[in-house]
Amino acid sequence: MRFAGKVALITGAGSGIGRAVARRLAAEGAEVYALDIDGSRLAETVRGADRPMTARTADLSDPDSCSAAVADCVAALGRLDVLGNIAGIYLAAHTVDMARDAYRKVMAVNLDAYFFLAQAAIPHLLASGGNIVNIASNAGIQGVPYSAAYCASKGGVIQLTRSLAVEFLKTALRVNAIAPAGTNTNIAASASFPTDMDPDLAARMAGLRGMAEPEEVAALFSFLASEEARSVTGAVYTLDNGLTAS
Ligand code: NAD
């Protein structure tokens, strides 16, 4: 019960890693404020959880939705201890073919929302001695073909994590990131690449040790968000079966 008496706002809680994190923190005693754009998936997350959660739908690509969600969370649950920035989308394309709207959407969901949610949450996290855990990606560390926008957004998440950690070094606020690679979720199952993808480049994307399960990411998340990680800030933990090391 590491999160008894604590409130955690978890984005992307309707599916995959966000769902596993929301359920894990709830199981460890947190009051979870679960956010997602998809209401029916969110309801499924709540149904399968050990304890009740507060669930809300929002399109986090709109900066106003980000600040409104934080305000609603604090109004409903009285405080904020953990911000889990997890919602994300993946779009692959030849860079020259990627529509501007598609590029903007990737950046808005994967990076801008992480910034605007952090911006709104920080005053509350300073008050509670709380922390932020951002979900980055191996794609924020290494190049991935046909994924320039996604890689740029995830590289941005890593630098957002480090610079927030440094800005608040003199406070109790901690900011960390997890960089998973292939994890069994909807994003991974629905990723579609250009049909004329170069097979040599495709072969370089696969690791040798298979996929991780979202619950493994949730286990690392709950450690980083807990008091046991009180000396960990500005860190980027890979959970990638050795992909970025090889
Ligand atoms: P997922 O598709 O299962 O979950 C993503 C969730 O984000 C979904 O529930 C979706 O509805 C929500 N979402 C998307 N757009 C939104 C918006 N505009 N507003 C609010 N919610 C929105 O995928 P996942 O793998 O669990 O993804 C979670 C995070 O993990 C993402 O940031 C992703 O980039 C990252 N990641 C995933 C993998 C992988 O292989 N699955 C690898 C590295 C990083």
Side-chain angles (χ1 to χ4, degrees):
M1 297 299 274
R2 289 183 291 192
F3 298 99
K6 300 202 182 291
V7 171
L9 188 164
I10 305 300
T11 76
S15 173
I17 293 169
R19 171 180 285 171
V21 167
R23 287 179 175 169
R24 170 83 190 226
L25 266 54
E28 290 201 48
E31 297 296 324
V32 172
Y33 183 95
L35 264 181
D36 204 281
I37 197 169
D38 186 323
S40 60
R41 283 191 181 156
L42 204 48
E44 209 180 310
T45 298
V46 174
R47 271 198 299 278
D50 289 354
R51 296 174 61 250
M53 295 179 194
T54 302
R56 299 275 193 276
T57 53
D59 179 355
L60 298 172
S61 65
D62 172 6
D64 289 340
S65 295
C66 296
S67 44
V70 170
D72 182 58
C73 171
V74 174
L77 301 175
R79 56 187 288 140
L80 181 60
D81 298 277
V82 177
L83 169 63
N85 273 322
I86 303 180
I89 55 173
Y90 178 70
L91 295 176
H94 287 285
T95 297
V96 292
D97 294 337
M98 191 162 196
R100 286 184 183 173
D101 284 354
Y103 170 83
R104 278 269 27 110
K105 190 80 178 172
V106 169
M107 298 306 278
V109 177
N110 292 4
L111 180 58
D112 300 358
Y114 284 36
F115 178 92
F116 291 121
L117 281 156
Q119 189 180 51
I122 282 168
H124 305 290
L125 296 172
L126 288 172
S128 65
N131 69 87
I132 300 172
V133 182
N134 294 319
I135 299 299
S137 171
N138 65 298
I141 297 169
Q142 59 182 177
V144 179
Y146 316 110
S147 307
Y150 185 77
C151 285
S153 73
K154 292 298 187 178
V157 168
I158 288 174
Q159 281 303 86
L160 175 67
T161 301
R162 291 183 176 136
S163 41
L164 287 179
V166 170
E167 184 172 341
F168 292 97
L169 275 181
K170 290 188 166 179
T171 76
L173 175 65
R174 299 183 297 107
V175 187
N176 292 295
I178 301 172
T183 309
N184 273 322
T185 69
N186 284 331
I187 271 192
S190 62
S192 85
F193 290 91
T195 46
D196 60 349
M197 182 177 184
D198 184 312
D200 295 330
L201 298 181
R204 292 173 63 94
M205 293 169 65
L208 294 176
R209 286 170 52 101
M211 308 277 277
E213 295 303 322
E215 289 74 18
E216 298 174 61
V217 184
L220 178 55
F221 185 111
S222 67
F223 164 69
L224 289 173
S226 79
E227 264 303 295
E228 288 182 271
R230 74 185 70 81
S231 302
V232 182
T233 192
V236 180
Y237 278 67
T238 57
L239 199 161
D240 65 1
N241 273 304
L243 190 63
T244 53
S246 61

